[in-house]
Amino acid sequence: MTRKQRRLTLIAAGGAIIAVALALVLTAMRDTIVFFRAPSDIVTMDIKPGTRLRLGGLVAEGSIVREPGQRVVFVVKDANHAITVNYTGMLPDLFREGQGVVAEGVLGPDRRFTADSVLAKHDERYMPREVADTLKKQGLWQHTGDADPAGATQ
Amino acid sequence: MIVELGHFALTLALALSLVQFILPLWGALANDEPLMNVAGPAALGTFAAVAFAFLALVHAYVTSDFSVLNVVENSHTLKPTLYKISGVWGNHEGSMLLWVFILALFAALVATARHTLPLRLRALTLSVQALIAAAFLLFLLVSSNPFTRVNPAPFEGQDLNPILQDIGLAIHPPLLYIGYVGISISFSFAAAALIEGRIDALWARAVRPWTLTAWVFLTLGIAMGSYWAYYELGWGGWWFWDPVENASFMPWLAATALLHSTVVMEKRDALKVWTILLAIVGFSLSLLGTFLVRSGVLTSVHTFATDPARGAFILGILVFFIGGAFALFAWRAPLLRHGGLFAPVSREGALVLNNLFLATACATVFIGTLYPLALESLTGEKISVGAPYFEATFLPIMLPLLFLIPIGQTLAWKRGELLGAAQRLMGAFALAIAAGLAVIAITEGGPVLAIVSIGLGFFIIFGAVSDTITRCWPKGAQLGVVWRRAVGLPRSAWGTTLAHAGVGVVVIGIAASAWSTEDITLVKPGGRVQVGPYSLRLDGVFPRAFGNYREEVARFMVSHHGRDIGALEASKRLYTTRGMPTTEAGIMTIGLGQLYVSLGDNEADGAIGLRAYWKPYVTLIWLGSIIMAAGGLLSLTDRRIRVGVPRRRIHVAAVPAE
């Protein structure tokens, strides 16, 4: 093999791998991305039923209903709207009424949301950032830490 | 008093690191030997100062000195001593101090390795390392001072986040940081080579042990973190493609590529510019990881209390070092003498392919991790890129790379023969096919990809072993000869074999997850649940209290074919200080598999909800990682690294100069 051929082989191999990777990335980006939506977005944006979403907001006070078989129904709300969520399975330890939550799942035709995973915060000083941002935008933001003076000074 | 001394030591360390940055750099540019020699003592001094500051903070934690804000926020007198110590780095300020501590530690180690490094290279490397340390020390002092006092001091602390009160916090962050920050040495070496405008096989040999050390710790740190998340979060998963996990995984991919490209550079004096670039990219990814984790710009299961204001400072450091390094690279890299090209079918050709695959895989992870951030800052649209993306991009790129491992290892340097390599690998390949068929026979079918992956895992293991065998065992040789050859084989060759076999073990462990079973169910006391081949009987639920928490424990008896094999306890805890509940999974290791039970909510009729998994061979994932790290360690004990060949060459060069 001449020097030129060797260089060409190297460039071709690199080009091929990068092209394949690019194709994979682009298809995956089209198919697997999940958008974050607040309840108001779902109402105002007229999202098609069957779309996979991450729904974020506050768990409405008094809305958690536990049914037999580890089924849970609760309402996620923001300043203007509320969406009912069905979920079967284990809830995070810090899942509580009046606190931030992000549920990932599918929007049904009746605007009920069926979640397959529910994330709450991980630490009582911390709230899912998307939820915090939405609430700030709607002027609803308040520090939700449980009387945590040091947390407030940070 | 000790606290003030600790604060003062940090300031002193900043001053010393500035000395360590300026004088040796000046010395190297002016060719002034005494000035270059300042680097060593200055690095040791910086390290001593930072170590003192670190110990001062540890002391404040152990003695529960609640006049220090950091201790108040993250500790409690009732906390066990081990968690008091690990609590030091269980928060932002303390973990950044640990970061700087390890940075200084590595600089001190380079300073003491004086016999294996040429003076100029050492001086320049330490100078660059000092600049990084100075930046982070400034960050600590200006925005994240761990020694801030509170007045009046409260009587009791607010306790550490319960999720962090675990042996995992004692082990995982130090390991990961040694790996993360260890790559800074490779970066400093690369920058030094660029400033010097010269790079050769000697450089590759000097950098290799440091990269290898960082890689070993990074491997262990990631594996440990994965196991910790697995048992602590109670979700049964061991990898979530979470941004913070990716942040540690990207430097690992870059370090793995760097490890392989330095081999080519050392043996064949090629791939120089690429190796320099990899070293820069590797540490840039470490810095990026630090930024992502510490600034709170990402939502992650691993994000704890964070402060976006500090993010701007780290972003500044990030931009300065990455931008600076790339500018230096663009300016100086053309000066480096290019090595020769080489045949595509050869060991070095295979290593180039390895680098291409690893770099591409790293790029796909990079895109998946940062795309949501980029999109949000550009359009305000919030999206999440989750596991499906990474499974669709990362895995297809890794599979061919994995298949290439045994082939590359079998090819000869310079001119390899595919046919010869194929012949030598026939045995390993046949055994791997046999293993795949055995899996099909035993499991009565399973996903095709999983079966193929198990075969692939065995191919990697057998390929690694068969390569070693052919090297030790020429046809018809006597046992004595084989023994002498095996002993004579360099340790790095054994290390390669072990590390590659470890990769195979990990692949098998991951593939076996296709056969894991999961069940979400309800059980009443005395009731039974069938999980995979095991039966669980709920013996009872009882309360228990311990130190700073109280818990509700569910006790199960595990039986297999009607025979009891042991008890398993899962619990729900309430940490009283913070009023925070946690779920503690109950795990029983049976053979190489694990039974995993995590508790849910109680039902009105006395039944408890639970999620139970049987995960066959799951421990192979972590055992394989440990084998990989062990291979790296074995390679570190290689004679070439221990003896430090360059010494003689320096000596010879020094004689005619006098």
Side-chain angles (χ1 to χ4, degrees):
Chain A
M1 255 187 186
T2 63
R3 223 182 139 72
K4 198 172 172 187
Q5 277 173 323
R6 287 181 177 183
R7 183 171 288 148
L8 278 178
T9 329
L10 190 67
I11 292 171
I17 292 173
I18 290 166
V20 169
L22 203 62
L24 286 171
V25 166
L26 290 178
T27 27
M29 280 291 177
R30 210 182 51 212
D31 300 341
T32 63
I33 277 184
V34 181
F35 286 87
F36 176 88
R37 296 285 180 249
S40 300
D41 298 334
I42 291 185
V43 175
T44 54
M45 290 172 84
D46 199 25
I47 293 164
K48 262 189 296 191
T51 317
R52 222 183 142 67
L53 294 174
R54 276 160 81 88
L55 171 68
L58 295 176
V59 181
E61 302 280 348
S63 76
I64 302 178
V65 181
R66 291 176 200 271
E67 294 175 354
Q70 300 290 294
R71 276 203 305 277
V72 190
V73 181
F74 57 93
V75 173
V76 172
K77 61 159 194 181
D78 58 9
N80 309 314
H81 294 279
I83 297 284
T84 307
V85 179
N86 295 325
Y87 174 68
T88 303
M90 236 147 274
L91 289 165
D93 293 320
L94 286 178
F95 178 85
R96 283 175 200 161
E97 291 181 349
Q99 301 217 337
V101 70
V102 175
E104 185 168 335
V106 180
L107 188 67
D110 49 355
R111 277 204 192 136
R112 277 174 86 92
F113 191 80
T114 308
D116 42 41
S117 77
V118 172
L119 297 173
K121 48 190 193 164
H122 222 41
D123 178 328
E124 69 269 29
R125 295 180 204 167
Y126 169 72
M127 168 175 265
R129 194 179 48 89
E130 295 102 330
V131 177
D133 284 355
T134 311
L135 293 177
K136 275 180 193 160
K137 215 160 42 190
Q138 296 176 346
L140 259 188
W141 173 254
Q142 58 206 16
H143 196 81
T144 52
D146 312 324
D148 183 356
T153 58
Q154 275 190 338
Chain B
M1 183 62 189
I2 291 180
V3 170
E4 274 67 36
L5 283 177
H7 190 181
F8 173 71
L10 274 187
T11 321
L12 183 67
L14 176 61
L16 278 171
S17 62
L18 286 176
V19 170
Q20 185 192 338
F21 164 57
I22 296 166
L23 296 187
L25 180 65
W26 189 356
L29 295 179
N31 223 353
D32 183 331
E33 206 166 301
L35 274 183
M36 284 194 267
N37 270 324
V38 171
L44 292 175
T46 310
F47 172 66
V50 175
F52 182 85
F54 187 72
L55 289 177
L57 190 61
V58 171
H59 179 263
Y61 266 85
V62 173
T63 56
S64 291
D65 181 352
F66 292 129
S67 67
V68 179
L69 182 64
N70 197 263
V71 182
V72 176
E73 285 174 357
N74 299 291
S75 200
H76 193 279
T77 46
L78 286 180
K79 207 165 61 164
T81 308
L82 176 67
Y83 298 158
K84 280 183 188 162
I85 296 174
S86 63
V88 171
W89 54 81
N91 60 83
H92 170 78
E93 291 83 358
S95 81
M96 289 318 295
L97 183 56
L98 178 67
W99 212 95
V100 175
F101 173 71
I102 293 170
L103 201 63
L105 172 70
F106 268 96
L109 287 175
V110 171
T112 50
R114 50 193 308 164
H115 300 300
T116 54
L117 285 177
L119 179 63
R120 258 177 87 85
L121 183 60
R122 182 158 57 98
L124 283 171
T125 304
L126 286 175
S127 167
V128 177
Q129 190 78 3
L131 189 60
I132 304 172
F136 278 94
L137 281 166
L138 194 65
F139 172 63
L140 268 177
L141 287 168
V142 172
S143 80
S144 314
N145 185 2
F147 296 111
T148 309
R149 294 271 198 188
V150 273
N151 195 15
F155 285 110
E156 190 52 274
Q158 295 163 355
D159 210 353
L160 183 67
N161 186 323
I163 291 178
L164 299 179
Q165 293 192 28
D166 187 273
I167 184 77
L169 180 69
I171 306 171
H172 165 63
L175 284 179
L176 196 66
Y177 273 18
I178 293 174
Y180 242 50
V181 182
I183 303 176
S184 67
I185 287 290
S186 312
F187 173 86
S188 299
F189 268 110
L194 285 173
I195 295 171
E196 220 180 341
R198 200 171 68 92
I199 184 171
D200 47 21
L202 204 85
W203 182 91
R205 189 167 285 192
V207 173
R208 199 172 147 70
W210 301 102
T211 313
L212 200 52
T213 309
W215 180 87
V216 165
F217 281 99
L218 203 50
T219 308
L220 288 175
I222 293 173
M224 179 63 220
S226 149
Y227 190 66
W228 184 21
Y230 166 79
Y231 73 72
E232 183 69 36
L233 293 179
W235 300 342
W238 44 269
W239 192 260
F240 301 99
W241 291 109
D242 179 274
V244 171
E245 293 173 344
N246 295 346
S248 69
F249 192 45
M250 288 189 283
W252 185 86
L253 289 168
T256 311
L258 180 61
L259 215 52
H260 288 90
S261 79
T262 47
V263 177
V264 178
M265 202 170 133
E266 190 185 338
K267 300 265 191 202
R268 301 280 292 123
D269 204 28
L271 289 188
K272 291 177 183 176
V273 177
W274 171 248
T275 302
I276 293 274
L277 186 64
L278 267 184
I280 293 175
V281 168
F283 185 59
S284 301
L285 290 171
S286 283
L287 283 176
L288 183 72
T290 308
F291 167 67
L292 292 181
V293 178
R294 296 262 63 101
S295 68
V297 295
L298 290 175
T299 303
S300 148
V301 295
H302 297 267
T303 312
F304 293 90
T306 49
D307 176 6
R310 288 167 181 153
F313 202 122
I314 304 188
L315 188 63
I317 296 179
L318 183 91
V319 169
F320 175 74
F321 280 102
I322 299 179
F326 277 106
L328 189 66
F329 180 79
W331 175 40
R332 303 288 283 185
L335 290 182
L336 302 176
R337 198 172 47 81
H338 281 266
L341 277 163
F342 36 74
V345 181
S346 61
R347 175 79 68 90
E348 53 270 43
L351 286 168
V352 169
L353 261 188
N354 149 303
N355 267 245
L356 269 173
F357 276 114
L358 282 172
T360 316
C362 186
T364 61
V365 177
F366 182 85
I367 293 170
T369 310
L370 290 190
Y371 180 65
L373 265 184
L375 192 71
E376 190 185 338
S377 57
L378 290 177
T379 67
E381 185 69 87
K382 294 184 175 75
I383 59 162
S384 103
V385 173
Y389 164 84
F390 295 100
E391 279 157 18
T393 56
F394 180 77
L395 294 188
I397 296 170
M398 283 311 267
L399 283 179
L401 172 62
L402 292 171
F403 185 73
L404 274 175
I405 292 177
I407 300 173
Q409 213 185 334
T410 313
L411 285 173
W413 290 98
K414 291 188 180 176
R415 253 198 316 277
E417 262 186 291
L418 268 186
L419 196 66
Q423 275 172 349
R424 266 171 288 165
L425 282 173
M426 270 320 263
F429 195 69
L431 280 173
I433 298 272
L437 290 175
V439 171
I440 296 176
I442 295 167
T443 59
E444 301 153 8
V448 179
L449 185 64
I451 293 170
V452 170
S453 303
I454 287 188
L456 182 62
F458 277 110
F459 180 50
I460 299 169
I461 297 173
F462 293 140
V465 174
S466 88
D467 176 56
T468 313
I469 292 177
T470 40
R471 286 172 79 170
C472 303
W473 203 329
K475 272 209 180 75
Q478 281 171 333
L479 273 180
V481 177
V482 175
W483 172 250
R484 273 202 302 281
R485 279 202 165 206
V487 173
L489 216 55
R491 296 253 183 95
S492 62
W494 285 106
T496 307
T497 302
L498 201 57
H500 284 172
V503 175
V505 172
V506 173
V507 170
I508 293 172
I510 294 173
S513 62
W515 285 274
S516 65
T517 58
E518 176 185 354
D519 198 9
I520 298 176
T521 182
L522 287 169
V523 61
K524 285 184 184 172
R528 281 184 174 279
V529 191
Q530 186 71 26
V531 188
Y534 299 96
S535 170
L536 293 172
R537 186 184 69 234
L538 178 61
D539 279 351
V541 181
F542 56 91
R544 192 159 63 186
F546 183 87
N548 50 354
Y549 65 83
R550 50 175 200 271
E551 61 183 350
E552 228 12 31
V553 185
R555 198 180 159 85
F556 297 90
M557 180 53 72
V558 182
S559 58
H560 185 51
H561 293 315
R563 202 165 51 84
D564 287 355
I565 53 175
L568 184 150
E569 284 181 357
S571 68
K572 275 193 156 310
R573 281 185 192 164
L574 184 72
Y575 282 79
T576 38
T577 315
R578 291 196 173 200
M580 180 167 159
T582 67
T583 306
E584 302 295 313
I587 297 176
M588 179 188 254
T589 307
I590 306 168
L592 291 169
Q594 284 187 331
L595 207 56
Y596 185 110
V597 177
S598 166
L599 297 183
D601 294 308
N602 296 344
E603 300 268 325
D605 59 353
I608 56 168
L610 62 92
R611 186 185 279 195
Y613 305 86
W614 163 241
K615 296 173 168 292
Y617 298 102
V618 69
T619 51
L620 287 183
I621 296 171
W622 303 294
L623 289 177
S625 311
I626 292 172
I627 296 175
M628 281 161 71
L633 276 180
L634 189 61
S635 196
L636 265 181
T637 63
D638 193 271
R639 192 172 173 281
R640 272 184 320 203
I641 289 172
R642 262 181 302 139
V643 173
V645 177
R647 192 189 338 183
R648 201 171 61 223
R649 290 177 64 170
I650 296 164
H651 183 68
V652 170
V655 173
E658 279 172 351

